[in-house]
Amino acid sequence: MTKDKKENSQKKDGDDKFAKLVSLCKRRGFVFPSSEIYEGFTAVYDYGPYGVELANNIKKLWWKEMTQLRDDVVGLDSAIFMSPKIWEASGHVKGFSDPLTECKKCHARLRLDTLLEDAGIFADEKMTEDEINKIFENNKDKIKCPTCGAKDFTPGKKFNLLVQSNLGNFTSDWTKEPTYLRGETCQGIYVNYKNIVDSSRVKIPFGVAQIGKAFRNEITARQFIFRTREFEQMEMQYFIKPGDDEKFFNEWKQLRYDFYLKLGFLPENLRWHQHENLVFYAKAAYDIEFNFPFGFKEMEGIHARGDYDLSQHAKFSSQDLNYLDPQTNERFVPHIVETSAGVGRIFLAALSNAYREEVNEGGEPRVVLSLKPSLAPIKVAVFPLLKNKPELVAKAREIFDILKQKWKCEFDDNGNIGKRYRRQDEIGTPYCLTIDFDTLENSEITLRDRETMEQKKFSLENLLTYLHQELD
Ligand code: ATP
């Protein structure tokens, strides 16, 4: 096969898989388009019954890894709305922008850096308007509108991504002095740095972790939950002594990569991307990329940010944000190593990593989400063999009531057992239990394993031991 043919066929496979994942998300209640009964609301999504479980599992695992298993990282939940001065100090009001262009034929609004990159031409959002327009001019013939195929665009113009609101401003011209919905969660960490040092026992090096919503007026938001205008971030800022940057940057790089291996992500689906075009204050920046159905893309960023963040806030707030080392009596502005991940992107990566289609020996197809039990929305499904036998239903309920104290379980008495298994396979439930006449007679419960489809009989006591071993 020629290189072009191979690439085309890989793209088609990726597109097919992506369409299947989006359809599964809707069909099985993982993700719904926002405001769907009103024809939807672009680039915003709602997480349904199984989606919220999966997203919560991702957040719980991250929180445990970052705060519970370490004694040098504490948590924070700062507000979404903050003083607008924060966004001036951080540089977002002036510089948080992407280059926007418009197709002159179909009027689609597009990100110019992405259009260039998709055509294999190096560009990035940090370039100035002039820089990117120059590259654009020189390559005009290579750029096509992804919507209508036309080759005629307006010149690129920087578009600010901060979302504005009138919170606390009761005048009609509030747009002159807007309040912003936070564009990233980490600013809440920087501005609480002093509170945390003063109120807790943390000593440098230490970290602050936070999970929360962020908002960006993204220009193009195709790719489902990969790029949305409202999304959740999981960020950790690690405060260090100047000079220790490289050591802690490398340490966090490794830890964050290992986190994805623990989630069951296949090593071949992960890779590093080193940023070449660093912002002036950054010392190093790498992304962990995942092999999404549309190619390798950023899932998490790890950045060595120097003293930029605290120095800017010290300057704009006129507060002393120096750290006094209790041992050496040295005073310094801490440097920061940041880890920043998006819940939605890890969610999509987890589904893509776990999705499998197979045909069993009887020629029957099945779709399986091979999620690690820690990620699976439902850990155990409990089925009475027959819906119309009250004694089976009562026994199944009794077992369900015991298990649900410990794990998220589902009770299902609808349809034939085979169909109930398929449904659970598709949402990634590792174990299904069937309560049949043997259970009534000799207390044996049948456990069916999602991966092997093997069935084994257990007494209730042995079953509990087995589930503790496999699920905890
Ligand atoms: P991209 O280059 O893809 O726009 P970014 O470099 O702007 O991402 P960061 O500002 O570093 O992203 O944000 C950290 C993380 O937050 C990203 O790695 C990603 O997982 C997540 N994220 C950022 N923007 C979005 C978005 N619009 N929708 C969903 N997740 C996002």
Side-chain angles (χ1 to χ4, degrees):
M1 208 189 287
T2 64
K3 194 168 160 258
D4 271 3
K5 265 197 179 158
K6 198 170 162 207
E7 276 173 9
N8 282 342
S9 129
Q10 276 172 346
K11 185 175 176 318
K12 194 184 166 305
D13 289 350
D15 288 350
D16 287 352
K17 181 172 175 184
F18 191 35
K20 284 175 185 165
L21 286 178
V22 175
S23 149
L24 183 137
C25 279
K26 172 88 199 295
R27 191 161 30 88
R28 290 295 186 209
F30 280 89
V31 181
F32 305 126
S34 161
S35 321
E36 207 182 4
I37 60 167
Y38 290 98
E39 294 175 5
F41 191 61
T42 310
V44 184
Y45 287 89
D46 299 335
Y47 288 82
Y50 296 130
V52 67
E53 296 295 338
L54 172 54
N56 281 345
N57 290 340
I58 292 169
K59 288 186 272 183
K60 263 190 275 176
L61 291 165
W62 185 87
W63 193 254
K64 182 172 178 191
E65 180 88 9
M66 301 303 262
T67 67
Q68 187 180 327
L69 298 179
R70 304 187 62 107
D71 57 7
D72 59 346
V73 181
V74 293
L76 176 77
D77 185 11
S78 68
I80 286 174
F81 287 103
M82 295 186 266
S83 164
K85 285 188 192 143
I86 289 174
W87 303 105
E88 276 168 36
S90 67
H92 283 73
V93 172
K94 272 205 184 130
F96 190 46
S97 51
D98 284 340
L100 166 76
T101 182
E102 193 174 317
C103 167
K104 285 192 182 163
K105 189 168 169 220
C106 74
H107 302 290
R109 293 197 170 143
L110 302 155
R111 251 178 85 167
L112 185 50
D113 56 325
T114 320
L115 274 182
L116 289 163
E117 272 168 18
D118 289 349
I121 301 149
F122 177 74
D124 87 34
E125 77 275 10
K126 291 194 275 307
M127 288 173 171
T128 63
E129 220 166 86
D130 285 348
E131 279 169 347
I132 202 153
N133 275 326
K134 206 165 157 202
I135 301 177
F136 184 34
E137 260 320 301
N138 293 339
N139 292 283
K140 258 191 160 155
D141 52 319
K142 297 187 196 130
I143 317 287
K144 260 201 307 199
C145 172
T147 315
C148 72
K151 286 186 164 182
D152 201 5
F153 297 93
T154 59
K157 216 172 164 25
K158 284 280 191 165
F159 177 80
N160 194 290
L161 303 184
L162 279 181
V163 177
Q164 302 186 353
S165 90
N166 66 347
L167 187 96
N169 185 331
F170 303 97
T171 63
S172 54
D173 58 354
W174 62 268
T175 49
K176 288 195 187 126
E177 278 182 279
T179 353
Y180 301 100
L181 279 84
R182 65 180 174 203
E184 57 185 22
T185 54
C186 56
Q187 295 301 327
I189 299 181
Y190 306 142
V191 298
N192 277 294
Y193 154 78
K194 195 169 155 32
N195 283 334
I196 291 170
V197 171
D198 291 347
S199 64
S200 61
R201 295 205 180 275
V202 292
K203 287 202 178 55
I204 273 181
F206 73 91
V208 180
Q210 164 155 249
I211 300 177
K213 290 264 169 128
F215 302 82
R216 295 183 187 178
N217 230 341
E218 297 282 359
I219 297 167
T220 24
R222 285 165 283 144
Q223 297 166 332
F224 193 41
I225 53 172
F226 177 82
R227 186 180 301 285
T228 49
R229 295 189 177 132
E230 173 180 336
F231 59 99
E232 237 174 338
Q233 284 189 315
M234 305 193 288
E235 297 199 296
M236 193 280 315
Q237 309 294 311
Y238 203 67
F239 298 89
I240 58 173
K241 200 172 160 182
D244 284 347
D245 307 54
E246 197 180 332
K247 172 176 155 223
F248 287 114
F249 180 70
N250 288 332
E251 218 174 279
W252 279 108
K253 240 180 96 199
Q254 190 60 48
L255 288 169
R256 295 308 305 144
Y257 195 86
D258 292 347
F259 176 73
Y260 293 105
L261 297 178
K262 281 190 223 161
L263 294 190
F265 288 15
L266 300 172
E268 60 265 34
N269 281 335
L270 295 170
R271 77 175 188 196
W272 285 108
H273 167 72
Q274 181 180 10
H275 287 225
E276 280 151 25
N277 194 12
L278 291 178
V279 279
F280 70 92
Y281 53 81
K283 296 193 172 311
Y286 275 78
D287 295 335
I288 298 176
E289 292 190 335
F290 180 83
N291 187 14
F292 290 98
F294 37 83
F296 274 97
K297 298 269 181 224
E298 173 178 344
M299 180 163 62
E300 166 155 0
I302 295 113
H303 312 127
R305 303 182 54 86
D307 68 359
Y308 176 77
D309 306 290
L310 290 183
S311 295
Q312 284 294 100
H313 286 302
K315 190 166 132 199
F316 277 69
S317 67
S318 309
Q319 297 282 319
D320 179 5
L321 298 182
N322 274 302
Y323 178 80
L324 175 65
D325 191 310
Q327 261 152 14
T328 61
N329 270 337
E330 272 176 283
R331 273 184 179 279
F332 56 85
V333 179
H335 284 201
I336 289 174
V337 171
E338 162 185 80
T339 72
S340 175
V343 177
R345 290 196 188 173
I346 301 177
F347 184 110
L348 184 58
L351 291 182
S352 180
N353 186 72
Y355 185 89
R356 206 172 70 224
E357 288 173 1
E358 36 175 68
V359 180
N360 70 15
E361 280 164 12
E364 220 191 314
R366 73 164 185 154
V367 170
V368 196
L369 280 187
S370 276
L371 290 168
K372 274 255 163 149
S374 56
L375 284 176
I378 304 292
K379 315 293 181 201
V380 185
V382 182
F383 309 149
L385 180 66
L386 299 167
K387 192 183 183 172
N388 56 3
K389 296 281 174 211
E391 60 280 31
L392 287 181
V393 175
K395 189 71 191 166
R397 278 261 165 226
E398 192 186 309
I399 289 163
F400 173 73
D401 286 343
I402 295 170
L403 298 180
K404 76 180 185 196
Q405 303 298 329
K406 176 75 186 139
W407 300 287
K408 178 74 189 163
C409 300
E410 190 165 271
F411 185 88
D412 186 6
D413 58 6
N414 243 315
N416 73 42
I417 289 285
K419 276 202 180 132
R420 285 184 251 172
Y421 284 151
R422 297 286 169 273
R423 187 186 156 81
Q424 296 298 330
D425 287 344
E426 239 190 313
I427 62 163
T429 306
Y431 299 110
C432 295
L433 304 178
T434 302
I435 310 307
D436 55 19
F437 294 102
D438 280 353
T439 323
L440 298 182
E441 236 169 69
N442 53 23
S443 301
E444 277 186 343
I445 302 162
T446 307
L447 175 140
R448 185 260 196 187
D449 183 302
R450 176 195 70 201
E451 292 302 290
T452 59
M453 294 196 284
E454 266 172 25
Q455 304 193 5
K456 276 192 220 152
K457 298 237 179 201
F458 285 91
S459 67
L460 180 59
E461 202 190 324
N462 288 345
L463 175 75
L464 289 174
T465 311
Y466 183 77
L467 289 176
H468 274 294
Q469 190 185 302
E470 298 299 311
L471 294 174
D472 293 343

